[in-house]
Amino acid sequence: FAGAAIGLFIFYADNAQLVMNAGPPSTDHAHLDALAITYYSQGTVLLPDSGLDTYAPGTTFNFFHGTSAHNTVVVDGSDQGPGPVKAGLVTSGPGWEYSSASASLYPGVTQKRSVVLLGRNLVLVVDSLSSSTVHEYQQLLHLFPDAGITVDGSTALVRTARDQLAMQIVQVAAPALTVQTYYGTTDAIQGLYSD
């Protein structure tokens, strides 16, 4: 594994971990997932990465490698392109962690993302996108396999397979906000997960 980075992650039920990808792509195999987050708490990866399904070219590879398979923002339904990704402030204090970054991976659009982990069970994600032209922005959050979800307006309740409340997601902001859910659709691939 010359030149490869190998990471070991040890998870404990009483801990939480929030990770944001704020670095440039390291290889041609890197996914188009700048500013994507993953979140672990309560002994479960609540907001997982969608994973890797295949290296064979085709629709499935394009989805898992592409931006919409990750917990980040998609602009105009397209994958991220080349451009700068800059890590911002990373700091912490008693009971909280903060990280920020910015990216210009869509023509004419700058995205800034800040994430705060307060204790083990409260995460705040702030996405600020700016452009001189109109665009469609999709903030995507991928849930753990077998998650049950009910949506009421801009709030989603996420339950485990045993019907225990795992998360409450509240969207605050855009005046033209809509919430959509996908469960493994294959006609326009979305909502798939691969171990």
Side-chain angles (χ1 to χ4, degrees):
F1 287 21
I6 299 174
L8 173 65
F9 295 96
I10 301 173
F11 296 116
Y12 299 95
D14 291 337
N15 290 339
Q17 180 182 46
L18 179 64
V19 177
M20 178 171 54
N21 180 357
S26 56
T27 69
D28 290 340
H29 293 287
H31 290 199
L32 303 173
D33 63 349
L35 307 189
I37 60 171
T38 57
Y39 174 51
Y40 169 91
S41 186
Q42 305 172 38
T44 303
V45 181
L46 296 170
L47 295 176
D49 182 85
S50 290
L52 172 67
D53 185 66
T54 182
Y55 283 110
T59 305
T60 304
F61 172 83
N62 292 343
F63 168 73
F64 283 100
H65 181 264
T67 307
S68 69
H70 305 282
N71 299 314
T72 190
V73 174
V74 172
V75 178
D76 297 329
S78 300
D79 287 330
Q80 296 171 343
V85 178
K86 298 177 187 172
L89 178 65
V90 177
T91 189
S92 63
W96 62 273
E97 307 281 334
Y98 172 87
S99 182
S100 64
S102 63
S104 296
L105 303 171
Y106 292 97
V109 177
T110 299
Q111 178 187 359
K112 295 178 182 177
R113 175 169 267 191
S114 299
V115 294
V116 181
L117 175 61
L118 298 166
R120 293 182 312 143
N121 298 317
L122 182 60
V123 175
L124 174 65
V125 178
V126 177
D127 284 311
S128 174
L129 291 104
S130 59
S131 177
S132 61
T133 57
V134 175
H135 297 277
E136 178 183 275
Y137 302 119
Q138 294 175 295
Q139 183 188 54
L140 300 177
L141 297 174
H142 296 267
L143 304 174
F144 54 93
D146 298 322
I149 184 169
T150 54
V151 177
D152 181 13
S154 59
T155 299
L157 296 178
V158 181
R159 298 189 174 281
T160 66
R162 287 177 266 179
D163 202 34
Q164 296 172 321
L165 183 63
M167 263 190 313
Q168 180 176 339
I169 301 170
V170 179
Q171 288 281 353
V172 181
L177 177 70
T178 59
V179 176
Q180 291 181 284
T181 58
Y182 299 92
Y183 290 96
T185 61
T186 55
D187 53 340
I189 294 182
Q190 193 54 262
L192 298 180
Y193 174 82
S194 174
D195 280 332

